[in-house]
Structure formats: C-alpha cells, structure tokens
Amino acid sequence: HDFTVNYRALFPDINARHYRVDIFEAGMLWSGTRWVNGDRFDLTQEAFHAAEGLQCAWTALGAWLSSWSLTPSKTQVARARAELQDVLGAFDKAWVRFEQKYVVELIDIEAKARGLVTRAVEEEQKLQLLEADSTDEGCEELREQRKVLLAAVSRLNSAANLRWKGHHDRGADVLEAALAVVAHHNTPQSSSGASGEDPRGERNVRLVLAQGVVEAFASVREYLREVPKWIDSVHPHLCNNTGLVARMTAWTESWELSARYTEPAELLQAMCRLVQKLHEARRVMPALASMCDDCDVELFLVLPRLVWLWFLTEPSGHGALIRRLVPHHFIGEGDAAFGRQLLEFVVRFRRVSAALAEAPGIGGPVLPPDSRL
C-alpha cells in the first residue's frame, strides 16, 4: 500500500510472488548509496540488514540443494521435503522483508529527487495567485515572486539540462527586461513616431528577442501547471524527461540569445545595421527574399557570406558583432583589435575590391578608406 502508481504496476498482485531479477541483484550486490541528479542518497541500516538476511537465506538454500542426494530413500524424501519447505519459507520471508524495505526507500529517494519539480510547481502556483490579485506586471511583489520562481527553475534546469550545468543564470534579469519591452510595445503610444525615433529598427530587434524570452517562460509555466497531474510518472533522473528538458533548453537558449545580442548597446546597434542591410539585399535580390520567406536551407549557406561582405566593406563599424561570432580572431579587448589572420583577410578583400573597381566594364564598389589598413 506504500507503493506509488509506478511500483504498483510492477507488482500488480500483492498476494503473488514477484521474484524480480533487479530486486535479487540489489540484495546480493548491496550498495547503500544512490546518486540522483548529482545528489547522494544513502539507504538506511534497516535496508542493509534486510539485504543481509536475504543473502543468508539464499546461501542456506544453496547449501541445502548442494547436500541433496541424487538417490534418496523414502525416509530421506519425506524429511527433505519438510526441510525444503522450511528453507524456502525462510527465503520467502527474507525476500518479502527486503523487497518491501528496499522499494519503499527507493520511492522515498525518488520523491526527494522530484522535489526540484514540486518546489518549482509551488512557486509557480504562488505567482498565479499574485497575478490574479494584481493587474500591474511591474509591481514589486510580482517581480520578486518571478525571481523566486526562476531561482527554482534554475535549480531544476541544472539537474535536468546537462548542457546547462555550471552556467551562470541571468534569466530573471533578462525576463524582467523582456516583459518591459513587450509591455511598452503593447501600449498605444509605442507606435507613434516609431520610424523617426528608431531608424535602425532597434525596437523591432529587441521586441523579437523579448517575445522569444516571454514565450519560453510561459511554456515553462505551462509545464509546471500540468506536471502535478502525473508527478509520479516523472523520472527521478530529471534529465530523462524529454518534455522537461525541451522546455528548460528552450528557456535557456531564449534568454541567452536575448542577452547575447542586446548587451552591450554596440552589439545591438551592429545587429540592427546588419538586419537593415539584409532587408536592402532582399529588395534587390528576389532569390534571397524567397530563401528567407521559405527558410530555405541555402539561406544558411548564403547568410554567413553576406555577413562577411557587410563586415569587410566597413570593418570599423561592425567589429562588435564579428567579435561575438569569431572571438578567436581578435586580440585584446577592443572590437577593432583584429588578429593577424582577420586583418590579412580585410586587406586582401580591399585589394580585390579596388582591382574590380578599376577594371573596365566591371565597376566594383569603391570602399571608404580605413586608417588601420
């Protein structure tokens, strides 16, 4: 009756014997320590003594079978039957005692391992209650509870998402910034004068990244609202739950992407200039527009080349983004601190461009001078 739904499925009839190999191996090859999600759990001394009892009963059964005569008399058969009943009865009792103690302790360990999920569920429920009583997304109480929830999600993420383990979590700060961006976009005043105030389209870039963060956070919350219905089915090794891992991965990638390309401001500006240039290229190259609209696989071959061309034509203004993409080709701290290979690449490009510009009938672009080259 102490068994959970999963274990009751493994032992459907409590009155029948279930000599499972995994239970037998656990008793014979006893190890009192279990590691789950990086945490150590020790089984009790009672479970250890139950395992010892099972080992002794198994040894006694083996000893009795070894002593059995292949040509017994009728008297020996009658006596042996009684002895065998006693030996099997003792083994049965030892098995039941160990099985019950071992499985109940495993259930307790699994419940503690799922504690990361249940704590996150509790914090999400608290946030729901606060949201029901408040219409202001930016109120301090809601901000604090979102921060508490995301701290629980961060611990859950570290256990479930092995790629994320050991990373510094800035999700709470990024989420608050994203919520502010989305809230501003949804106000009636946000659309007035947008084209004059935002010539590079920074608002749109911020909005797209912010919406990704908010949507990923909403997906995590949806999972936490649904998981109590089947909490006993959650694998205690949290990395084995594909739905949980998928949401944790999407959440992490969304806020990391937003932080990566909106901080610092120079990087956001470089991104916006790149997006502006790509829109210009779409207008003069219908094939590129078609690739973008269809998410054609060729786009991911063409796009890196366009980024390089954009950088090479004016390297001074776009170093922040290129440094983020190929940091090993920079030396020092500044975005203009090109490494030797990158500097040679820029020089060669400018020489070829100059040659094309001077060639009759071709008329390549005339590049602006660069004092470093």
Side-chain angles (χ1 to χ4, degrees):
H1 296 293
D2 295 328
F3 288 7
T4 60
V5 173
N6 289 345
Y7 281 99
R8 284 200 294 270
L10 295 176
F11 304 94
D13 186 355
I14 61 174
N15 297 314
R17 291 186 179 88
H18 297 280
Y19 292 123
R20 294 181 58 87
V21 174
D22 49 355
I23 299 292
F24 178 75
E25 289 179 344
M28 295 298 107
L29 306 173
W30 176 254
S31 172
T33 301
R34 296 291 182 274
W35 289 91
V36 186
N37 302 323
D39 295 327
R40 172 175 171 161
F41 297 91
D42 294 318
L43 298 170
T44 65
Q45 283 296 307
E46 289 84 352
F48 169 67
H49 292 314
E52 278 189 328
L54 181 61
Q55 292 169 9
C56 292
W58 177 252
T59 301
L61 177 58
W64 187 92
L65 293 173
S66 298
S67 66
W68 174 253
S69 173
L70 295 179
T71 57
S73 64
K74 292 182 178 181
T75 304
Q76 289 174 320
V77 169
R79 186 173 65 250
R81 181 179 290 113
E83 292 174 355
L84 180 59
Q85 287 175 344
D86 292 340
V87 172
L88 287 175
F91 178 77
D92 239 4
K93 290 177 182 178
W95 180 283
V96 170
R97 186 163 50 251
F98 173 73
E99 180 183 73
Q100 195 273 341
K101 190 64 182 174
Y102 178 66
V103 172
V104 167
E105 292 197 14
L106 284 184
I107 291 172
D108 183 56
I109 289 174
E110 291 178 4
K112 291 176 180 176
R114 295 189 189 101
L116 292 172
V117 178
T118 56
R119 280 192 289 275
V121 168
E122 291 167 1
E123 299 303 337
E124 200 283 328
Q125 291 171 345
K126 292 177 184 177
L127 182 57
Q128 283 190 66
L129 293 175
L130 287 174
E131 288 173 335
D133 295 334
S134 175
T135 57
D136 182 10
E137 281 281 342
C139 79
E140 187 61 27
E141 198 173 8
L142 277 177
R143 288 169 63 92
E144 283 301 314
Q145 184 54 37
R146 280 196 293 265
K147 187 174 180 180
V148 172
L149 170 57
L150 284 175
V153 169
S154 179
R155 291 190 291 270
L156 181 58
N157 199 5
S158 295
N161 188 359
L162 298 181
R163 292 188 301 165
W164 169 246
K165 191 177 290 291
H167 286 208
H168 176 58
D169 195 332
R170 294 187 52 240
D173 297 334
V174 176
L175 175 63
E176 292 304 325
L179 289 170
V181 169
V182 173
H184 177 73
H185 173 74
N186 292 333
T187 58
Q189 297 85 356
S190 66
S191 59
S192 61
S195 59
E197 299 171 4
D198 190 29
R200 290 189 298 269
E202 290 182 19
R203 183 182 292 110
N204 288 335
V205 173
R206 285 187 183 275
L207 178 62
V208 169
L209 293 172
Q211 287 173 333
V213 173
V214 173
E215 289 170 4
F217 179 61
S219 178
V220 171
R221 293 190 63 186
E222 180 185 6
Y223 178 89
L224 294 175
R225 285 193 291 268
E226 293 296 320
V227 73
K229 300 174 184 177
W230 32 270
I231 189 66
D232 286 343
S233 299
V234 173
H235 199 290
H237 291 276
L238 298 178
C239 61
N240 292 333
N241 298 281
T242 56
L244 173 61
V245 172
R247 284 166 175 80
M248 292 295 104
T249 300
W251 161 244
T252 303
E253 290 178 347
S254 68
W255 75 252
E256 280 192 330
L257 185 67
S258 179
R260 182 180 299 123
Y261 291 109
T262 59
E263 303 169 4
E266 294 79 6
L267 184 58
L268 174 62
Q269 291 166 6
M271 276 289 295
C272 293
R273 287 194 294 269
L274 172 60
V275 171
Q276 187 178 34
K277 290 295 183 182
L278 290 175
H279 279 299
E280 292 173 5
R282 279 172 54 99
R283 285 193 289 270
V284 298
M285 297 172 59
L288 176 62
S290 177
M291 287 182 194
C292 294
D293 294 339
D294 299 336
C295 292
D296 194 301
V297 67
E298 287 189 66
L299 174 65
F300 301 98
L301 298 174
V302 172
L303 188 58
R305 291 166 170 79
L306 291 176
V307 173
W308 274 117
L309 289 171
W310 167 74
F311 164 72
L312 292 168
T313 56
E314 194 179 344
S316 299
H318 311 315
L321 180 58
I322 295 299
R323 185 186 185 96
R324 184 59 59 92
L325 298 175
V326 286
H328 53 288
H329 284 299
F330 285 76
I331 55 176
E333 297 298 325
D335 292 331
F338 301 160
R340 183 179 59 83
Q341 284 185 311
L342 183 56
L343 190 58
E344 290 176 355
F345 186 27
V346 173
V347 170
R348 287 200 303 271
F349 176 81
R350 298 180 75 84
R351 287 174 181 168
V352 171
S353 297
L356 290 174
E358 295 171 358
I362 297 180
V366 178
L367 302 180
D370 194 312
S371 58
R372 295 166 306 156
L373 304 177

